[in-house]
Protein backbone atom coordinates (compact mmCIF):
# COMPACT_ATOMS: atom_id res chain seq x y z
CA UNK A 1 0.00 0.00 0.00
CA UNK A 2 1.41 3.37 -1.08
CA UNK A 3 1.43 6.23 1.41
CA UNK A 4 -1.24 8.83 0.71
CA UNK A 5 -0.33 12.51 0.84
CA UNK A 6 -2.29 15.69 1.52
CA UNK A 7 0.17 18.06 -0.14
CA UNK A 8 2.36 17.66 -3.21
CA UNK A 9 5.42 19.71 -4.12
CA UNK A 10 6.86 19.40 -7.61
CA UNK A 11 10.01 20.32 -9.42
CA UNK A 12 9.03 21.84 -12.77
CA UNK A 13 11.41 20.95 -15.62
CA UNK A 14 11.74 17.21 -16.10
CA UNK A 15 8.73 16.50 -13.87
CA UNK A 16 5.74 18.58 -14.99
CA UNK A 17 7.10 19.98 -18.24
CA UNK A 18 9.42 18.41 -20.79
CA UNK A 19 11.56 21.38 -21.79
CA UNK A 20 14.81 19.63 -22.70
CA UNK A 21 14.59 20.48 -26.42
CA UNK A 22 13.78 24.09 -25.51
CA UNK A 23 16.84 24.18 -23.24
CA UNK A 24 19.11 22.67 -25.88
CA UNK A 25 18.06 25.09 -28.60
CA UNK A 26 18.22 28.06 -26.22
CA UNK A 27 21.67 27.10 -24.92
CA UNK A 28 23.10 26.47 -28.39
CA UNK A 29 21.99 29.91 -29.61
CA UNK A 30 23.15 31.59 -26.40
CA UNK A 31 26.60 30.04 -26.48
CA UNK A 32 27.11 31.19 -30.08
CA UNK A 33 26.07 34.74 -29.19
CA UNK A 34 28.52 34.80 -26.29
CA UNK A 35 31.45 32.98 -27.86
CA UNK A 36 31.18 29.93 -25.57
CA UNK A 37 32.35 26.47 -26.54
CA UNK A 38 30.49 24.51 -23.88
CA UNK A 39 28.28 21.77 -25.36
CA UNK A 40 24.75 21.28 -24.12
CA UNK A 41 25.75 17.86 -22.77
CA UNK A 42 27.82 19.66 -20.09
CA UNK A 43 25.00 22.08 -19.30
CA UNK A 44 22.53 19.20 -19.03
CA UNK A 45 24.54 17.51 -16.27
CA UNK A 46 23.85 20.52 -14.02
CA UNK A 47 20.12 20.94 -14.66
CA UNK A 48 18.45 21.25 -11.28
CA UNK A 49 20.72 24.03 -10.06
CA UNK A 50 19.92 27.71 -10.48
CA UNK A 51 21.11 29.23 -13.77
CA UNK A 52 23.92 31.26 -12.20
CA UNK A 53 25.12 28.20 -10.28
CA UNK A 54 25.24 26.30 -13.58
CA UNK A 55 27.29 29.07 -15.20
CA UNK A 56 29.59 29.10 -12.21
CA UNK A 57 30.19 25.35 -12.36
CA UNK A 58 30.84 25.66 -16.10
CA UNK A 59 33.61 28.12 -15.15
CA UNK A 60 32.21 31.02 -17.12
CA UNK A 61 33.39 34.50 -16.14
CA UNK A 62 30.97 36.16 -13.71
CA UNK A 63 31.16 39.39 -15.71
CA UNK A 64 29.28 37.56 -18.50
CA UNK A 65 26.54 36.08 -16.31
CA UNK A 66 23.94 38.83 -16.71
CA UNK A 67 24.08 38.98 -20.51
CA UNK A 68 24.13 35.18 -20.86
CA UNK A 69 21.10 34.87 -18.60
CA UNK A 70 19.17 37.49 -20.60
CA UNK A 71 20.08 35.87 -23.91
CA UNK A 72 19.09 32.43 -22.63
CA UNK A 73 15.82 33.70 -21.15
CA UNK A 74 14.91 35.48 -24.39
CA UNK A 75 15.64 32.34 -26.42
CA UNK A 76 13.66 30.20 -23.99
CA UNK A 77 10.55 32.30 -24.59
CA UNK A 78 11.11 32.29 -28.38
CA UNK A 79 11.41 28.48 -28.25
CA UNK A 80 8.25 28.02 -26.20
CA UNK A 81 6.72 25.74 -28.83
CA UNK A 82 9.28 23.10 -27.85
CA UNK A 83 7.94 22.82 -24.28
CA UNK A 84 5.32 20.16 -23.54
CA UNK A 85 3.45 18.94 -20.49
CA UNK A 86 4.27 15.33 -19.69
CA UNK A 87 1.46 12.83 -20.39
CA UNK A 88 -0.96 12.55 -17.50
CA UNK A 89 -0.22 15.94 -15.91
CA UNK A 90 -3.63 17.49 -16.61
CA UNK A 91 -5.44 14.32 -15.53
CA UNK A 92 -3.58 14.03 -12.21
CA UNK A 93 -3.98 17.73 -11.45
CA UNK A 94 -7.69 17.35 -12.13
CA UNK A 95 -7.82 14.47 -9.63
CA UNK A 96 -5.97 16.59 -7.05
CA UNK A 97 -8.53 19.35 -7.50
CA UNK A 98 -11.45 16.95 -7.08
CA UNK A 99 -9.91 15.58 -3.88
CA UNK A 100 -9.15 19.11 -2.66
CA UNK A 101 -5.42 18.31 -2.48
CA UNK A 102 -3.22 21.34 -3.25
CA UNK A 103 0.17 21.32 -4.94
CA UNK A 104 3.07 23.72 -5.25
CA UNK A 105 5.94 24.14 -7.68
CA UNK A 106 9.53 24.45 -6.43
CA UNK A 107 11.97 25.04 -9.26
CA UNK A 108 15.43 26.34 -10.15
CA UNK A 109 13.96 28.18 -13.13
CA UNK A 110 13.80 31.96 -12.75
CA UNK A 111 10.52 33.51 -11.64
CA UNK A 112 9.68 35.28 -14.90
CA UNK A 113 9.86 32.16 -17.09
CA UNK A 114 8.23 29.96 -14.45
CA UNK A 115 5.19 32.20 -14.04
CA UNK A 116 5.01 32.63 -17.81
CA UNK A 117 4.86 28.86 -18.33
CA UNK A 118 2.47 28.28 -15.44
CA UNK A 119 0.04 30.71 -17.06
CA UNK A 120 0.71 29.35 -20.54
CA UNK A 121 -0.25 25.82 -19.49
CA UNK A 122 -3.09 27.08 -17.24
CA UNK A 123 -1.73 25.41 -14.12
CA UNK A 124 -3.13 26.30 -10.71
CA UNK A 125 -0.47 25.69 -8.03
CA UNK A 126 -1.11 26.87 -4.49
CA UNK A 127 2.30 28.58 -4.58
CA UNK A 128 5.37 28.87 -6.78
CA UNK A 129 8.90 28.98 -5.36
CA UNK A 130 11.89 30.06 -7.45
CA UNK A 131 15.54 30.53 -6.46
CA UNK A 132 16.66 33.65 -4.64
CA UNK A 133 20.13 34.85 -3.69
CA UNK A 134 19.42 33.46 -0.22
CA UNK A 135 17.56 30.23 -0.90
CA UNK A 136 18.09 27.84 -3.81
CA UNK A 137 18.40 24.10 -4.30
CA UNK A 138 19.48 22.03 -2.45
CA UNK A 139 18.82 24.37 0.51
CA UNK A 140 16.11 22.76 2.65
CA UNK A 141 14.65 26.17 3.54
CA UNK A 142 12.87 26.29 0.18
CA UNK A 143 10.80 23.22 1.02
CA UNK A 144 10.27 24.25 4.63
CA UNK A 145 9.10 27.71 3.59
CA UNK A 146 6.68 26.13 1.13
CA UNK A 147 5.22 23.93 3.87
CA UNK A 148 4.90 26.87 6.23
CA UNK A 149 3.24 29.07 3.62
CA UNK A 150 0.69 26.37 2.83
CA UNK A 151 0.21 25.16 6.42
CA UNK A 152 1.16 21.50 5.95
CA UNK A 153 3.28 19.14 8.05
CA UNK A 154 6.27 17.22 6.76
CA UNK A 155 4.56 13.92 7.49
CA UNK A 156 1.67 14.66 5.13
CA UNK A 157 3.74 16.06 2.27
CA UNK A 158 5.96 14.81 -0.53
CA UNK A 159 8.39 16.37 -3.01
CA UNK A 160 8.74 15.01 -6.55
CA UNK A 161 11.92 15.76 -8.48
CA UNK A 162 14.21 14.36 -11.14
CA UNK A 163 17.73 15.32 -10.00
CA UNK A 164 20.22 14.59 -7.26
CA UNK A 165 19.78 18.21 -6.14
CA UNK A 166 16.06 17.59 -5.63
CA UNK A 167 16.78 14.48 -3.59
CA UNK A 168 19.38 16.26 -1.44
CA UNK A 169 16.94 19.07 -0.71
CA UNK A 170 14.20 16.65 0.37
CA UNK A 171 16.61 14.60 2.49
CA UNK A 172 17.98 17.75 4.13
CA UNK A 173 14.43 18.84 4.95
CA UNK A 174 13.44 15.31 6.09
CA UNK A 175 10.53 15.24 3.67
CA UNK A 176 9.45 12.20 1.62
CA UNK A 177 10.88 12.19 -1.91
CA UNK A 178 9.67 10.57 -5.11
CA UNK A 179 12.14 10.36 -7.98
CA UNK A 180 10.68 11.09 -11.42
CA UNK A 181 12.69 8.49 -13.36
CA UNK A 182 11.32 9.73 -16.69
CA UNK A 183 13.03 13.12 -16.21
CA UNK A 184 16.47 14.43 -17.12
CA UNK A 185 18.70 12.59 -14.63
CA UNK A 186 19.45 9.06 -13.52
CA UNK A 187 19.81 7.99 -9.89
CA UNK A 188 21.23 4.53 -9.42
CA UNK A 189 20.21 4.06 -5.78
CA UNK A 190 18.32 0.80 -5.36
CA UNK A 191 15.96 1.75 -2.56
CA UNK A 192 14.80 5.09 -3.87
CA UNK A 193 11.03 5.52 -4.29
CA UNK A 194 10.19 6.50 -7.84
CA UNK A 195 7.51 7.07 -10.41
CA UNK A 196 8.12 5.99 -14.00
CA UNK A 197 5.54 8.40 -15.39
CA UNK A 198 3.33 11.18 -14.03
CA UNK A 199 0.21 9.00 -14.07
CA UNK A 200 1.68 6.78 -11.33
CA UNK A 201 1.04 9.59 -8.83
CA UNK A 202 -2.54 8.36 -8.68
CA UNK A 203 -1.27 5.67 -6.31
CA UNK A 204 -0.31 8.37 -3.78
CA UNK A 205 -3.59 10.34 -3.80
Amino acid sequence: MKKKYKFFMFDFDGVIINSILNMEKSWNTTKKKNGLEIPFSEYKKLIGLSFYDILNKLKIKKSKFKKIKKDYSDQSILNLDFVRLYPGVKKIFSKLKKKNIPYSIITSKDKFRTIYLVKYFKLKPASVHCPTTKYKKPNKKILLNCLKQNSFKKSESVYIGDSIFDKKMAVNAKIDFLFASYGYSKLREKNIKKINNFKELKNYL
Side-chain angles (χ1 to χ4, degrees):
M1 173 95 56
K2 305 289 187 184
K3 181 177 178 179
K4 307 297 183 181
Y5 295 101
K6 296 181 180 179
F7 184 51
F8 288 77
M9 297 173 285
F10 295 95
D11 179 31
F12 201 29
D13 296 271
V15 177
I16 292 175
I17 59 171
N18 185 351
S19 55
I20 198 69
L21 187 54
N22 173 287
M23 289 182 182
E24 184 172 8
K25 288 180 176 294
S26 300
W27 178 254
N28 287 340
T29 300
T30 298
K31 76 174 186 178
K32 287 180 183 177
K33 282 190 172 185
N34 291 275
L36 303 175
E37 306 219 351
I38 302 167
F40 181 70
S41 57
E42 292 301 307
Y43 180 97
K44 186 180 178 182
K45 293 175 184 177
L46 300 168
I47 292 174
L49 294 174
S50 67
F51 191 75
Y52 281 164
D53 281 348
I54 289 177
L55 298 187
N56 190 49
K57 285 188 175 292
L58 292 174
K59 298 183 178 179
I60 295 170
K61 291 181 179 179
K62 285 192 169 78
S63 59
K64 294 184 176 182
F65 279 18
K66 191 172 182 179
K67 182 179 184 302
I68 291 173
K69 186 176 188 300
K70 183 182 185 306
D71 289 344
Y72 184 87
S73 182
D74 290 346
Q75 289 301 313
S76 182
I77 296 300
L78 288 174
N79 292 322
L80 193 62
D81 287 345
F82 296 99
V83 181
R84 297 283 186 272
L85 289 177
Y86 278 105
V89 167
K90 286 288 190 179
K91 189 171 183 178
I92 291 296
F93 282 172
S94 178
K95 286 182 179 293
L96 287 174
K97 185 177 180 180
K98 286 179 181 178
K99 289 176 173 285
N100 199 29
I101 300 173
Y103 71 92
S104 288
I105 292 172
I106 299 176
T107 178
S108 288
K109 189 184 289 296
D110 65 80
K111 188 172 183 180
F112 174 78
R113 288 185 298 140
T114 301
I115 297 300
Y116 190 98
L117 286 165
V118 164
K119 290 180 179 179
Y120 180 81
F121 286 114
K122 299 179 181 179
L123 306 178
K124 302 291 183 182
S127 61
V128 174
H129 305 263
C130 300
T132 66
T133 53
K134 192 174 182 181
Y135 299 128
K136 51 192 174 181
K137 294 179 183 179
N139 192 315
K140 66 181 181 180
K141 283 284 188 179
I142 307 171
L143 282 176
L144 298 178
N145 287 343
C146 179
L147 289 182
K148 184 176 180 181
Q149 181 175 330
N150 292 283
S151 302
F152 282 95
K153 299 176 182 177
K154 293 181 183 182
S155 59
E156 55 193 6
S157 308
V158 64
Y159 182 64
I160 301 98
D162 73 319
S163 76
I164 186 61
F165 311 111
D166 292 323
K167 180 179 179 291
K168 285 181 178 179
M169 183 171 64
V171 169
N172 290 343
K174 297 181 179 177
I175 291 172
D176 286 356
F177 176 70
L178 287 175
F179 175 60
S181 66
Y182 57 87
Y184 305 155
S185 304
K186 301 298 179 186
L187 294 184
R188 305 192 182 280
E189 299 171 40
K190 293 182 179 179
N191 297 321
I192 193 168
K193 293 181 180 179
K194 65 180 180 179
I195 53 171
N196 297 307
N197 57 67
F198 205 88
K199 298 174 185 177
E200 289 185 8
L201 281 173
K202 69 180 184 296
N203 298 320
Y204 298 89
L205 307 186

